[in-house]
Amino acid sequence: MSARPDEFARLIATHMREIYRYVLTLVPSPADAEDVIQETSIKLWSQFDKFDPNTNFAAWAFRIAYYEVLTHRTKHRRDRHLFSSELVEKLAERRAAMSESLIDRRRLLEACLEELSEPHRQLLRDRYAGTETMQALAQRTGRPINTIYKTLDRIRRALGACVDRKAAEQTA
């Protein structure tokens, strides 16, 4: 058992979303991902004393999560919705390789979100963080549903262009 619980708590809090997204790319459903995440968290804690703090925690956690995905697959091998082992391995490799790039783009997206007007940020929150359907959102705001779809599309395009522009500025 680890003698560094504060360090573990800090690292797991910092990387849990990233680990969850990694697992979600390897299993067929969010419910399966939650199961794998629970087992992964237990394994990470029980093996934390083996983690070298001079290395990459996310990469170490991804490796443990990968083996937990394989264990989950073994337990559910009769489920016809499982990906092939070869596909899971390729997805895991690709996702791990993209990790740093995705973290950088997520930071750029956060900066771009700050540049949006408050009404646009609120519309994004209402649509993606809320539980309302588009129909309910349209009714509540008194706007036609097609207008909301078009506005969201423009916002997404603007955010994508902003992230691309900021990424290009960073590499220049």
Side-chain angles (χ1 to χ4, degrees):
M1 199 58 62
S2 173
R4 309 174 308 198
D6 291 343
E7 182 182 4
F8 178 80
R10 181 185 59 76
L11 288 168
I12 200 75
T14 301
H15 296 283
M16 184 50 77
R17 282 187 186 165
E18 186 180 1
I19 297 166
Y20 176 77
R21 284 190 290 267
Y22 171 79
V23 169
L24 195 55
T25 63
L26 304 178
V27 297
S29 75
D32 289 335
E34 290 291 338
D35 291 344
V36 171
I37 284 295
Q38 286 182 355
E39 294 303 319
T40 299
S41 297
I42 292 167
K43 189 75 70 160
L44 289 170
W45 173 245
S46 69
Q47 294 186 11
F48 190 61
D49 57 337
K50 298 175 186 167
F51 171 68
D52 178 355
N54 297 318
T55 61
N56 184 326
F57 180 81
W60 179 72
F62 287 171
R63 193 88 226 86
I64 290 175
Y66 174 75
Y67 287 113
E68 290 303 317
V69 167
L70 295 181
T71 300
H72 178 80
R73 289 177 50 76
T74 300
K75 291 178 186 174
H76 297 90
R77 70 176 147 251
R78 292 183 181 215
D79 186 344
R80 66 178 196 264
H81 297 104
L82 290 179
F83 300 140
S84 71
S85 296
E86 295 81 19
L87 178 60
V88 168
E89 186 174 337
K90 286 181 183 185
L91 288 171
E93 289 170 3
R94 185 161 185 205
R95 178 60 174 85
M98 293 172 45
S99 180
E100 289 301 316
S101 172
L102 291 172
I103 290 169
D104 289 343
R105 289 188 68 83
R106 197 169 304 114
R107 286 186 191 125
L108 294 175
L109 176 59
E110 289 171 5
C112 290
L113 284 167
E114 290 299 317
E115 295 176 11
L116 288 177
S117 68
E118 180 54 34
H120 283 169
R121 279 197 305 270
Q122 186 59 50
L123 180 60
L124 289 172
R125 280 190 295 269
D126 289 346
R127 175 64 184 120
Y128 297 112
T131 57
E132 282 183 308
T133 64
M134 283 294 284
Q135 186 66 40
L137 179 59
Q139 287 175 346
R140 183 174 56 78
T141 60
R143 296 168 65 190
I145 196 166
N146 286 341
T147 301
I148 293 175
Y149 276 119
K150 288 177 184 176
T151 303
L152 286 169
D153 184 56
R154 281 194 304 274
I155 294 169
R156 285 190 296 265
R157 288 175 194 246
L159 286 171
C162 178
V163 168
D164 290 343
R165 184 182 70 251
K166 286 181 181 293
E169 289 170 1
Q170 282 185 344
T171 58

